[in-house]
Amino acid sequence: MTTFKPVPRDLYRNAEREAGEVLPALTGRLKRYRPVEEFEPNWAHVLSGTASVVAVVAALHCGHLDVPERAWPEVLRLYCPTAWRLLSQAEVSFEKWNLGQCDAVLCATVAAVANTELGGYAVFAVMDVPAAVAQVVATLGTFPTFT
């Protein structure tokens, strides 16, 4: 099983300036509104296809607001062409893959390939299918069958 790098909370500091705006921590009476530094991604730049991998990963994991729904499939399409091709060849939509509504091995493979294409950062969750099967068998004593 490949181990991916955890995404540092301040990865945005290594991204290009166009990746987004760093909002400084506020002090004094205003401190309660922004007690720590925050990163506000520039989604137009990130989804342009010209951003660095560091900028993309930082936008997905270090921003202080939720990632727009449309960003996830676009990031996969633009910055993870091999992972996107795997989904296309399997005729599985991003939505079905993201919800785990496809073969577990395909889910894990696409996530691992995407993480590799995104600089080795742990952007997408990867399930170790053989380890999961071994855990189920060890816990239940056998592989469950449902009728």
Side-chain angles (χ1 to χ4, degrees):
M1 177 72 192
T2 304
T3 303
F4 297 102
K5 299 181 283 190
V7 179
R9 291 299 312 151
D10 64 346
L11 183 64
Y12 56 86
R13 292 180 178 281
N14 300 327
E16 62 271 19
R17 243 182 335 148
E18 299 82 10
E21 185 178 359
V22 178
L23 305 172
L26 298 176
T27 58
R29 293 182 320 202
L30 300 176
K31 183 176 182 169
R32 68 176 174 217
Y33 297 111
R34 191 183 324 129
V36 295
E37 181 177 88
E38 294 177 349
F39 176 62
E40 189 171 296
N42 175 0
W43 290 107
H45 174 69
V46 171
L47 299 179
S48 70
T50 60
S52 68
V53 168
V54 170
V56 173
V57 174
L60 293 173
H61 282 275
C62 301
H64 74 282
L65 298 174
D66 289 339
V67 176
E69 258 184 66
R70 66 176 168 56
W72 290 102
E74 276 300 295
V75 163
L76 198 71
R77 185 181 68 78
L78 292 169
Y79 298 97
C80 309
T82 306
W84 187 259
R85 189 169 40 259
L86 287 172
L87 281 180
S88 298
Q89 289 171 346
E91 297 180 356
V92 174
S93 69
F94 174 86
E95 290 74 20
K96 285 190 177 278
W97 170 75
N98 195 38
L99 293 173
Q101 297 175 345
C102 62
D103 178 69
V105 174
L106 176 67
C107 279
T109 302
V110 170
V113 169
N115 286 350
T116 302
E117 291 180 301
L118 290 172
Y121 288 104
V123 176
F124 295 100
V126 179
M127 181 174 75
D128 185 351
V129 176
V133 169
Q135 175 95 24
V136 168
V137 171
T139 303
L140 301 177
T142 184
F143 196 77
T145 55
F146 303 95
T147 56

